[in-house]
Amino acid sequence: MIIPQADPQANYRAQQAAIDAAIRRVLDSGQYILGAETRAFETDFAAYIGQSYGVGVANGTDALALALRACGVDAASEVITVAHTAVATIAAICQTGATPVCIDIDPHTLTLDPDQLAAALTPRTRVIVPVHLYGQPADLGAICAFAERHGLYVIEDCAQAHGAVYQNRRVGAWGHLAAFSFYPTKNLGALGDGGMIVCSDPTLHARLLALRQYGWDDQRISQSAGVNSRLDELQAAILRVKLRALDADNARRRARAAQYTARLASTGLILPTPPANVLHAYHLYVVQHANRDHLRAFLAERGIGTALHYPVPAHVQPGYREQVRVVDSLTHTERAAQTVLSLPLYPELSPDAVEQVADALHMWCATQPS
Ligand SMILES: *Cc1c(COP(=O)(O)O)cnc(C)c1O
């Protein structure tokens, strides 16, 4: 039996009849861009997260870039974030002309360490972008308190954390703005590209509506410069179907994650340890081991797919290293890049498959010096 690391087709199959009907409805409607489906999905998704407005855009990277621009971020600005993330986070900041300023992660949560924020602050700092990596909420209490003290915006990168909860509120409801991706493998995945920004400030909302279409006003006259970044009706209709299943899908992810955690307790692998005040969305179940590459090859030989999120931190990637400013040393960031391994995890993954992966991990770990 082959076990993939992720399986977006299985998620489509699980709701094939409803998704096919939604697609048919759009095809028959004659409205393919920014129509009733997108408006309904924007309203429903923003309400699900706990913000007033949603703005559908072409992908998660654009969602971040437009959220930054709505805050007035430009080439003179600095944006504090982490290098242990999808390079998309950094690409979005660079798209605005601003400088990404990368600080280290907390070694336990692998998310932005709020204790590093003070050293990164300059008169040019405008925004903090915490990334809820793997579906685990960053330390939003400390991050939002720091931002408030220094008059900064918080834009949450929620691309991996649809439905995750920090204290008693969902992630995406804590920042001034939050950016989501609907890339097919994400917890809420389209059958193509898609993204959304959520916020509750009507001024930010109005700016975002203009930014996604050339800076247009109601008369389709560009009052500011914008881009073309829209969510299409087909993806919105598909996402409306899948949003209804998101909590159940996340519950399945958590159940499989709990099974991994119970089965792998005695292996010597470092396992995810979410703090008690969060509900992890388990976009990914990531273990750590110094001999990660050998383990990965061992699992591949047994038909078990894994992935690396992420093997090269953004601040050392050739396309971005010259644009990124690094504060102090990114010790934990660089360590994580060498040790992380994402195991198979998706809502349709069976308990038997998790057992098979756990058995293989036990077999390999027994060969390792302790
Ligand atoms: C997927 C992802 C993005 C970008 O989303 P796209 O829709 O692929 O542009 C941004 N940040 C993180 C952390 C992601 O995982």
Side-chain angles (χ1 to χ4, degrees), residues 288-296 338-339 364 368-369:
Q288 290 179 265
H289 195 283
N291 207 0
R292 179 267 319 272
D293 293 328
H294 187 266
L295 170 56
R296 190 170 191 221
Q338 289 166 10
T339 58
W364 182 81
Q368 295 299 299

Side-chain angles (χ1 to χ4, degrees), residues 24-25 64 105 110 112 118 172 215 225 240 265 306 308 329 331 342 358:
R24 187 79 249 163
R25 187 173 74 229
L64 278 169
I105 52 172
L110 306 183
L112 187 148
R240 287 178 73 192
T306 58
L308 304 181
S329 56
T331 314
S342 304

Side-chain angles (χ1 to χ4, degrees), residues 38 44 51 60 70 72 88 108 120 133 159 175 198 202 226 253 264 305 310 323 343:
T38 303
D44 292 352
Q51 296 260 28
H108 304 292
L133 200 70
V198 297
R253 286 176 182 272
L264 301 177
Y310 295 91
Q323 301 170 67
L343 302 182

